[in-house]
Structure formats: structure tokens, C-alpha cells
Amino acid sequence: ILNVEQSPQSLHVQEGDSTNFTCSFPSSNFYALHWYRWETAKSPEALFVMTLNGDEKKKGRISATLNTKEGYSYLYIKGSQPEDSATYLCAFNAGGYSTLTFGKGTMLLVSP
Amino acid sequence: GAVVSQHPSRVICKSGTSVKIECRSLDFQATTMFWYRQFPKQSLMLMATSNEGSKATYEQGVEKDKFLINHASLTLSTLTVTSAHPEDSSFYICSAKGLAGGPGYEQYFGPGTRLTVT
């Protein structure tokens, strides 16, 4: 059974704060690491797919890094805005398989 | 692009009845669709992988006779919860992967269906 852990479970920050959360995953048989953003009552939205050790990807104020050797990825949000409030999910792709193993997510609340 | 719809968004049914949930890829063709279930405060758990034109592959512990999956076209997969019981009450969500997508490609998710069995 693959174990994907996310921390913290929830986070409450003020508008303008920068924040980051962690996803840890098995370091063996790595293929890809996915980040999703999930707003209530909407579909999870794909943010990043990361495949290479040392990868760093950026979309606006959100960026992510990947360390496959030690099995973790960080998601950073710079200058959080209320519209960033959502649950952020990471999911692990083992080598050669299409199936994803998800963490429980980090619920972010950004107060104005 | 890459929109996936799911219907219904919410359903309440009586114990013993069957419920069908539809998952459609609206603007792309999906050879593979996935069905997940999420219990409160838990992660999305894969139930089955559905390939167009072939039988679904179920994860360990998921009863294939209870959760019937049909993927009859490249844009539609259905999940039928047969003889539903209160313990089947959960959030069911589907995702789809496009024709060109390999294992590392994004899955595009529907908005999910909240099933309550009374």
C-alpha cells in the first residue's frame, strides 16, 4: 500500500501571507507527482505534474518543488489571496501505472 | 478545455435501490476513466479503472458486482451502485485521461456526486 502524506492538515493565514505545505511519498518506483487545487463544490483542478528530481514549476503566485530521492514535494503560495482558499491535494504516480494515490489534502483558508 | 461533468451532483435514495452516476468528458475523448470514493476526512480512494470497450479493473476490496462500471464510449462512463446500503453513502468522483495521456499525464476530474442512502 502506497503512503502519501500531506501536512499540515489545515492552515489559516491572512491575506498577503506566503505559505507552503508538504507532500511526502515513496521515494522508490517514482514516476510522477501531481498537485491539484480543489475548491468546494467544484472539480479538482490540475496545478502541476512533476516528473524530474529537482523540478520546480510555477503558475502565477503558486510554485512547487520536487525531491524524488527523499520523497517530498513542497507547494508554495506567495502573497495568499482569499481566492486561494481551497484544499490542495497531491497524488503519486508509481512507475508505469496510470493510477494515482492521493494524500488527504491540506485545507487552506485565507482571510481578508 | 478538458472539462468533465458528473451527474447527478447529489442523490438521496432508499436502502436496497440502485443508483447510476454518469461521468462525461465534454471536450475530449477519454480512453481511461477512473472512479474514486471519499469518506469524510479521508483521501480520495481509487475504486476502479475503466477503459473504453473493456471490463473495468477494480481495486482490492471493491466489489465489482456491487459497483457496476460501464465505459461504452470514449466520452461516457457510468457507475451503478446496486442495492445501496447506508454504508455506501459517500462522495463519488470520476476522472478522465485523454487519448494521448501516458501514466504521468493529468487526470481531469468531475465535480463529484454526494450519495446518501437512507
Side-chain angles (χ1 to χ4, degrees), chain B residues 14-106:
Chain B
K14 292 190 176 179
S15 190
T17 60
S18 294
V19 173
K20 181 185 280 190
I21 302 169
E22 292 187 348
C23 178
R24 291 181 186 272
S25 56
L26 298 185
D27 52 2
F28 68 102
Q29 292 182 317
T31 48
T32 306
M33 289 185 171
F34 304 88
W35 287 95
Y36 295 85
R37 180 169 53 182
Q38 185 183 38
F39 291 107
K41 297 192 187 299
Q42 299 300 308
S43 56
L44 294 174
M45 294 295 293
L46 181 66
M47 298 175 68
T49 302
S50 162
N51 290 297
E52 186 262 339
S54 62
K55 289 185 179 179
T57 302
Y58 290 81
E59 296 299 302
Q60 195 173 4
V62 178
E63 299 175 57
K64 62 180 179 182
D65 294 331
K66 181 165 187 64
F67 299 99
L68 300 179
I69 291 172
N70 185 282
H71 191 162
S73 78
L74 284 172
T75 58
L76 174 65
S77 176
T78 60
L79 167 69
T80 302
V81 183
T82 62
S83 186
H85 287 97
E87 57 266 29
D88 298 323
S89 299
S90 188
F91 185 77
Y92 294 87
I93 189 168
C94 70
S95 70
K97 192 156 65 66
L99 283 171
Y105 282 74
E106 291 96 336

Side-chain angles (χ1 to χ4, degrees), chain A residues 7-93:
Chain A
S7 64
Q9 189 175 353
S10 63
L11 196 53
H12 184 184
V13 301
Q14 296 297 310
E15 183 176 356
D17 289 347
S18 293
T19 186
N20 66 85
F21 13 97
T22 306
C23 172
S24 62
F25 51 85
S27 55
S28 59
N29 202 24
F30 175 87
Y31 191 88
L33 193 282
H34 301 244
W35 281 101
Y36 286 87
R37 179 174 176 274
W38 194 3
E39 288 183 74
T40 304
K42 295 186 178 179
S43 304
E45 171 199 354
L47 287 174
F48 306 114
V49 180
M50 308 180 80
T51 55
L52 297 175
N53 184 45
D55 246 358
E56 183 168 340
K57 294 206 171 181
K58 191 174 180 181
K59 184 184 283 190
R61 292 179 291 98
I62 305 177
S63 61
T65 60
L66 179 69
N67 183 323
T68 60
K69 294 184 178 178
E70 296 182 41
Y72 65 83
S73 176
Y74 293 136
L75 189 80
Y76 300 91
I77 303 179
K78 186 177 177 182
S80 303
Q81 299 296 308
E83 57 264 31
D84 296 328
S85 298
T87 296
Y88 291 83
L89 300 174
C90 72
F92 172 78
N93 236 145

